[in-house]
Amino acid sequence: MSQQNQILNKDEIAALGASLRGIEQKLLKQSQQTGTTRMWFQGEEPYFDVFFELKNDEILWFQFTLRGKSLSWDSRRARFQTGTTNELNYNDVSFYAASKTIENDIQTNWEFVNLVRLILETRSAENIFAKVLKLFD
């Protein structure tokens, strides 16, 4: 069993999924020129976010961050990329949340990918989450 999944049991995974709340669309920059739409969900835990960029109701890009780890997917590459964020580096001068940086992993962290899937599955009844779960197949 992975270290990530040992830390989070079924109830904790369900609680994380349930805590995600949509952020008002007016706070997100939408591109009228390219016809893209952005969606942002924020969890109750600090640094827990899910971002989506869509065009014609199809996911172009998404990013999931939790506890200093990230998972992203881009339609141009059509593969998962995991990484580490700077959000948990307390001595970092870029402590301002909007200045998040991600250092990509050399090898995909499949344990984190699986954890993300488990969290997203708790919201599978919602259209956007059902769409992103198809990327895991």
Side-chain angles (χ1 to χ4, degrees):
M1 177 159 290
S2 75
Q3 184 180 12
Q4 281 288 353
N5 290 334
Q6 285 176 350
I7 295 170
L8 298 176
N9 65 39
K10 197 174 187 179
D11 291 337
E12 292 168 317
I13 289 168
L16 283 168
S19 78
L20 287 168
R21 300 286 178 252
I23 302 300
E24 286 188 49
Q25 293 296 316
K26 66 183 179 181
L27 298 177
L28 301 173
K29 184 178 177 185
Q30 308 297 325
S31 175
Q32 308 301 359
Q33 298 160 342
T34 62
T36 60
T37 303
R38 294 186 177 152
M39 298 176 77
W40 176 21
F41 291 83
Q42 195 171 49
E44 286 181 11
E45 247 186 58
Y47 315 116
F48 179 28
D49 298 285
V50 184
F51 294 94
F52 298 96
E53 187 170 272
L54 302 105
K55 185 172 185 173
N56 300 324
D57 210 32
E58 294 299 319
I59 297 173
L60 295 177
W61 172 83
F62 94 94
Q63 182 180 76
F64 182 107
T65 58
L66 174 67
R67 299 179 183 175
K69 297 199 178 299
S70 75
L71 172 68
S72 57
W73 181 90
D74 186 321
S75 63
R76 293 171 293 186
R77 297 177 70 197
R79 67 177 185 88
F80 291 119
Q81 176 67 59
T82 56
T84 305
T85 72
N86 67 328
E87 294 167 316
L88 300 180
N89 297 341
Y90 295 109
N91 61 350
D92 194 331
V93 294
S94 61
F95 190 64
Y96 179 63
S99 63
K100 176 183 359 186
T101 61
I102 296 174
E103 184 177 325
N104 290 332
D105 293 336
I106 294 170
Q107 293 185 337
T108 302
N109 179 343
W110 290 107
E111 294 172 357
F112 187 67
V113 172
N114 185 52
L115 177 61
V116 170
R117 181 181 193 155
L118 292 171
I119 293 169
L120 295 174
E121 283 176 347
T122 68
R123 302 290 288 262
S124 62
E126 297 169 61
N127 186 40
I128 188 62
F129 294 102
K131 280 180 195 252
V132 77
L133 282 166
K134 289 179 183 178
L135 302 176
F136 288 79
D137 294 336

